[in-house]
């Protein structure tokens, strides 16, 4: 029987003045589910995500050694460590991740490096001759839920880098899933036709199941009310470009926070930065779930719930609005109507926002941002959508070719 593939997360912790390593291992069926490895549980001051081989550990897997030399500085005894094959962002090196499944996979170093590649992709996109670096590669898009921006931006990203696309726009209805085929069987089949799969699914955790099955990279393009990691990446990239920093910012997350996979993933990424404060503004029926609040608390991130959008908008660098998702309410249309229209970004909100602040939205919008806001330079949501192209170009390049 084949061994279960595994991945490693290397962590440092300070205990009684001694800097020491700890190693945790997780089965790939639970790949990237690192929310339990928090400062609260392990007492860690930081984490470094090392590459997880897709199948088995080998001689090239990350290894850690103690150096015998120790130093005592400022009364704190630290043991020097060296790593074999540490994470490398050198051109030509393999990307640290095999799949993009959830936001917890990323640390600040990887985020910064991805953003550098995204800036290079922006230059390629603006060059009319484009690029052929992914010529000969095929990307399959398996979308079991509707999408405009995510699917088209991934397909555009692939084509702008010289690759080709196989697409299923409504796999839930127009694929063998309608005949009862399992997700695992679909993934095993489609990986035989392509080099990378971008998948959106209506079930939380579906992307992890696909990654545990596939031998090629899987990108989670949204799994029900779970996560949307590539949206979070482009959101953080947009905040950095618009505000000029990520440390020390205040972000207001507004709207459907219970069902919104975008705000969940964004909260995970914002926790990577220093002195961030997050405000949750939502109707009672769609408040942010406790798992995110607990995670932020464990990471030392300050958060606050508020019912006053005007007050929050006055304090924030970013007002991140989301729509109330009718499709998540099922037959409880009464709860949907109760939540809809309670918090709207309009000209009155703009009046109290700081001049440097921005309004963001993952789109599509309904009536939660009025159309007149579009003309204000602080309306960043269409620039945000365009940034998704550059981030997704970067991810395709990194997963298929490396740094």
């Amino acid at each position: 029987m084949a061994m279960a593939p595994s991945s490693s997360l290397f962590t440092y912790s300070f205990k009684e003045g001694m800097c020491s390593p700890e190693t945790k291992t997780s089965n790939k069926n639970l790949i990237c589910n690192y929310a339990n490895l928090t400062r609260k549980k392990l007492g860690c001051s930081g984490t470094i995500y090392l590459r997880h081989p897709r199948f088995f550990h080998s001689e090239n897997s990350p290894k850690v050694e103690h150096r015998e030399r120790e130093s005592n500085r400022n009364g704190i005894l630290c043991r020097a460590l060296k790593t074999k094959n540490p994470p490398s962002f050198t051109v030509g090196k393999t990307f640290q991740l095999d799949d993009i499944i959830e936001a917890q996979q990323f640390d600040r170093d990887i985020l910064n490096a991805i953003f550098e590649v995204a800036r290079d992709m922006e230059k390629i996109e603006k060059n009319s001759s484009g690029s052929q670096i992914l010529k000969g590669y095929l990307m399959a898009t398996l979308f079991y839920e509707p999408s405009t921006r995510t699917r088209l931006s991934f397909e555009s990203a692939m084509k702008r880098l010289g690759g080709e696309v196989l697409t299923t726009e409504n796999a839930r209805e127009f694929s063998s899933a309608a005949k009862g085929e399992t997700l695992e069987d679909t993934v095993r089949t489609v990986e035989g036709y392509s080099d990378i799969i971008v998948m959106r699914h209506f079930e939380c955790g579906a992307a992890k199941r696909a990654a545990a099955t596939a031998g090629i990279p899987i990108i989670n393009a949204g799994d029900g009310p779970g996560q949307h990691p590539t949206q979070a990446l482009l959101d953080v990239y947009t905040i950095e470009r618009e505000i000029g920093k990520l440390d020390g910012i205040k972000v207001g997350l507004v709207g459907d926070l219970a069902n919104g996979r975008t705000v969940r993933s964004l909260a995970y990424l914002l926790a990577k930065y220093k002195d961030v404060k997050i405000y949750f503004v939502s109707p009672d029926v769609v408040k942010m779930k406790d798992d995110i609040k607990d995670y932020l608390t464990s990471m030392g991130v300050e958060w606050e719930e508020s019912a006053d959008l005007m007050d929050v908008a006055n304090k924030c660098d970013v007002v991140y609005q989301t729509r109330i998702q009718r499709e998540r309410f099922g037959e409880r249309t009464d709860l949907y109507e109760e939540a809809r229209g309670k918090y709207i970004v309009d000209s009155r909100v703009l009046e109290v926002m700081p001049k440097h602040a921005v309004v963001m939205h993952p789109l599509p919008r309904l009536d939660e941002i009025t159309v007149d806001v579009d003309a204000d330079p602080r309306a960043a949501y269409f620039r945000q959508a365009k940034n998704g192209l550059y981030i997704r170009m970067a991810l395709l390049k990194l997963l298929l070719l490396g740094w």
Side-chain angles (χ1 to χ4, degrees), residues 46-60:
T47 62
I48 299 177
Y49 179 86
L50 301 185
R51 177 171 171 76
H52 51 80
R54 177 170 290 281
F55 294 110
F56 304 105
H57 285 295
S58 67
E59 294 180 356
N60 295 321

Side-chain angles (χ1 to χ4, degrees), residues 254-256 283 286 309 321-325 335-346 348 366-369:
V254 186
D256 190 344
V286 286
L309 175 58
Q321 176 70 291
T322 64
R323 71 183 175 91
I324 305 299
Q325 300 182 52
L335 294 179
Y336 170 73
E337 293 299 334
E338 178 184 338
R340 182 184 176 186
K342 188 167 185 178
Y343 295 108
I344 295 176
V345 174
D346 55 18
R348 295 176 302 160
L366 300 180
D367 54 4
E368 63 275 2
I369 299 179

